[in-house]
Amino acid sequence: MIFECVVNVSEGCDEAVLAELAAAAGPTLLDLHKDPDHHRSVFTLAGEADTVNEAVRQLATACVARLDIRPHQGAHPRLGVLDVVPFVPYEPGRPPAHDLSSTLPHRDEFARWLSATLEVPSFLYGPLPGGRNRTLPQVRKYAFADIAPDFGPGRPHETAGATAVGARSVLVAYNVWVSSTGVAGRVAPLVRSPTVRALGLAVGDRAQVSCNLIDPVEFGPAQLYDSVSELVDEAGGTVIGAELVGLLPWSVLAAIEPTRWGTLGLSGDLTVEARLPG
């Protein structure tokens, strides 16, 4: 087993800064998805635990040094410059693992380090002590109000904000472009389920239903695209296209008829397995 860490950073416009952050992540960086309208980038790191842990610390240090949340504007909600850091168990070529026990120590150690070293408050999500569980949407909604940081100061860092640090199984971030913001806003609540988180967003002069597929084996990109398409049609709109954010497991892609990959914005090169070294 290796570990994946899909770091969401609140910067999607400055190419020079993004190049610096990518260099800080080093050879564990498999993919960098940049979105200037969301003003957000997704860094997909993967490898052996020690290597990934060190790479995430280097990336975090660079983010806090180079970015400032105060003037930030973008379509996507955010807590801080280093917005979300999920640790994910990964077995190449196999369906996503749901046992997170091996991941929790790495999550907690990083959150503790981030707060102690960089003074950025950290909110844990995923399994918590005592059998509790906290979701990322709960952190976004209640951070500092009803939920205190698990590590670090009780207020946001002046320039870095705060960070949600998670332990989770593999998810697939997938967006469907639609004809209007109104249609996206109507469809997003209807497509939500225990396996789908969705937001209707205005993205520049376009609109999208922005989704996280929490269990992509049970409900993957093809099912999401078909569901959104049906709802958009009922709302009198049109589906314009779709995009994958970051990478997906080969096991998820292999379950989709290859003739559909192009329409769905997918390809074999967009799998974690295709990017892992030798």
Side-chain angles (χ1 to χ4, degrees), residues 108 110-124 144 147-157 161-163:
D108 295 354
F110 173 77
R112 188 178 294 109
W113 171 88
L114 179 67
S115 299
T117 305
L118 301 179
E119 299 183 344
V120 177
S122 300
F123 294 86
L124 301 180
F144 295 109
I147 299 176
D150 293 279
F151 300 101
R155 62 184 182 280
H157 185 284
T163 301

Side-chain angles (χ1 to χ4, degrees), residues 10-76:
S10 297
E11 172 58 63
C13 301
D14 191 321
E15 293 286 348
V17 170
L18 289 171
E20 289 183 37
L21 301 183
T28 63
L29 181 64
L30 304 187
D31 184 75
L32 171 54
H33 180 97
K34 298 172 282 189
D35 190 323
D37 292 311
H38 280 202
H39 203 358
R40 188 176 185 84
S41 295
V42 177
F43 293 72
T44 303
L45 285 57
E48 299 296 329
D50 290 346
T51 306
V52 169
N53 288 339
E54 179 58 26
V56 175
R57 291 186 181 196
Q58 294 297 326
L59 177 56
T61 301
C63 285
V64 174
R66 296 290 285 121
L67 303 178
D68 189 338
I69 198 63
R70 291 172 295 183
H72 187 278
Q73 293 184 337
H76 201 286

Side-chain angles (χ1 to χ4, degrees), residues 65-263:
R66 296 290 285 121
L67 303 178
D68 189 338
I69 198 63
R70 291 172 295 183
H72 187 278
Q73 293 184 337
H76 201 286
R78 63 273 179 192
L79 288 173
V81 296
L82 185 73
D83 193 50
V84 184
V85 182
F87 289 83
V88 183
Y90 200 93
E91 298 183 70
R94 297 176 61 84
H98 292 284
D99 181 358
L100 301 180
S101 57
S102 63
T103 311
L104 297 177
H106 302 291
R107 176 198 66 179
D108 295 354
E109 182 180 348
F110 173 77
R112 188 178 294 109
W113 171 88
L114 179 67
S115 299
T117 305
L118 301 179
E119 299 183 344
V120 177
S122 300
F123 294 86
L124 301 180
Y125 70 95
L128 300 178
R132 297 176 296 135
N133 190 79
R134 182 187 294 155
T135 67
L136 179 57
Q138 288 172 330
V139 172
R140 290 206 186 282
K141 186 174 183 178
Y142 298 113
F144 295 109
D146 296 327
I147 299 176
D150 293 279
F151 300 101
R155 62 184 182 280
H157 185 284
E158 182 179 3
T159 58
T163 301
V165 185
R168 62 162 173 79
S169 184
V170 169
L171 66 74
V172 171
Y174 190 71
N175 302 329
V176 181
W177 296 97
V178 300
S179 50
S180 73
T181 304
V183 168
R186 288 195 293 274
V187 167
L190 299 176
V191 80
R192 289 180 194 138
S193 74
T195 58
V196 179
R197 294 175 184 155
L199 294 172
L201 299 175
V203 182
D205 59 357
R206 299 190 294 169
Q208 70 177 204
V209 181
S210 177
C211 300
N212 280 341
L213 307 181
I214 305 302
D215 188 344
V217 171
E218 178 180 335
F219 195 89
Q223 292 98 320
L224 186 280
Y225 184 92
D226 292 343
S227 179
V228 169
S229 295
E230 181 178 346
L231 292 166
V232 166
D233 185 63
E234 292 173 359
T238 305
V239 169
I240 308 301
E243 68 170 350
L244 176 71
V245 179
L247 305 175
L248 81 168
W250 169 252
S251 61
V252 173
L253 182 65
I256 301 171
E257 173 58 46
T259 57
R260 299 198 65 192
W261 291 0
T263 300

